[in-house]
């Protein structure tokens, strides 16, 4: 009987710890998006260079900028998820088969 109660208490504790972890990761806002287990895409804020590349342009206008690694990137101007900022979103080349 004591073993069953102990096992139940351990399982409940693990469950509550999991809920707490999930809540903490969602409370961190944009800084943690896309960084959890199984995340496929990260949604970081665009760099200042990507934002500057679309200054005075409209959505879907072509743009280019140099990233922090010194690489030239080409894309199209797009809004951030919140719709507040226009930035140069890279256009990825289709993979050849």
């Amino acid at each position: 009987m004591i073993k069953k109660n102990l096992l139940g208490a351990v399982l409940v504790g693990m469950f509550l710890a999991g809920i707490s972890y999930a809540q903490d990761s969602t409370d961190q806002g944009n800084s943690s998006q896309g960084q959890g287990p199984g995340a496929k895409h990260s949604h970081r804020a665009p760099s200042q260079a990507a934002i500057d590349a679309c200054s005075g342009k409209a959505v879907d206008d072509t743009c280019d900028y140099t990233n922090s690694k010194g690489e030239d990137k080409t894309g199209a101007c797009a809004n951030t998820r919140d719709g507040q900022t226009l930035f140069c979103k890279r256009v990825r080349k289709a993979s050849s088969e």
Side-chain angles (χ1 to χ4, degrees), residues 7 10-11 14 16 18 24-25 30-31 36-37 41 63 70 73 77 80:
L7 179 60
V10 169
L11 291 175
M14 290 172 60
L16 293 175
D24 288 346
S25 66
N30 291 337
S31 64
H41 304 285
C63 54
K73 300 295 178 181
C77 294
T80 53

Side-chain angles (χ1 to χ4, degrees), residues 15-97:
F15 176 75
L16 293 175
I19 290 174
S20 176
Y21 173 78
Q23 184 64 37
D24 288 346
S25 66
T26 58
D27 286 345
Q28 293 176 6
N30 291 337
S31 64
S32 67
Q33 285 184 346
Q35 295 178 5
K40 294 183 180 182
H41 304 285
S42 71
H43 299 286
R44 298 174 298 183
S47 68
Q48 189 60 49
I51 294 169
D52 293 345
C54 288
S55 178
K57 295 187 177 188
V59 172
D60 292 330
D61 285 353
T62 58
C63 54
D64 53 32
Y65 68 99
T66 303
N67 69 11
S68 60
K69 296 178 183 177
E71 302 166 329
D72 293 330
K73 300 295 178 181
T74 300
C77 294
N79 282 315
T80 53
R81 287 178 172 255
D82 65 5
Q84 300 297 310
T85 306
L86 194 62
F87 74 105
C88 189
K89 183 175 181 179
R90 291 187 305 154
V91 176
R92 299 190 187 271
K93 297 177 182 175
S95 59
S96 58
E97 294 180 35

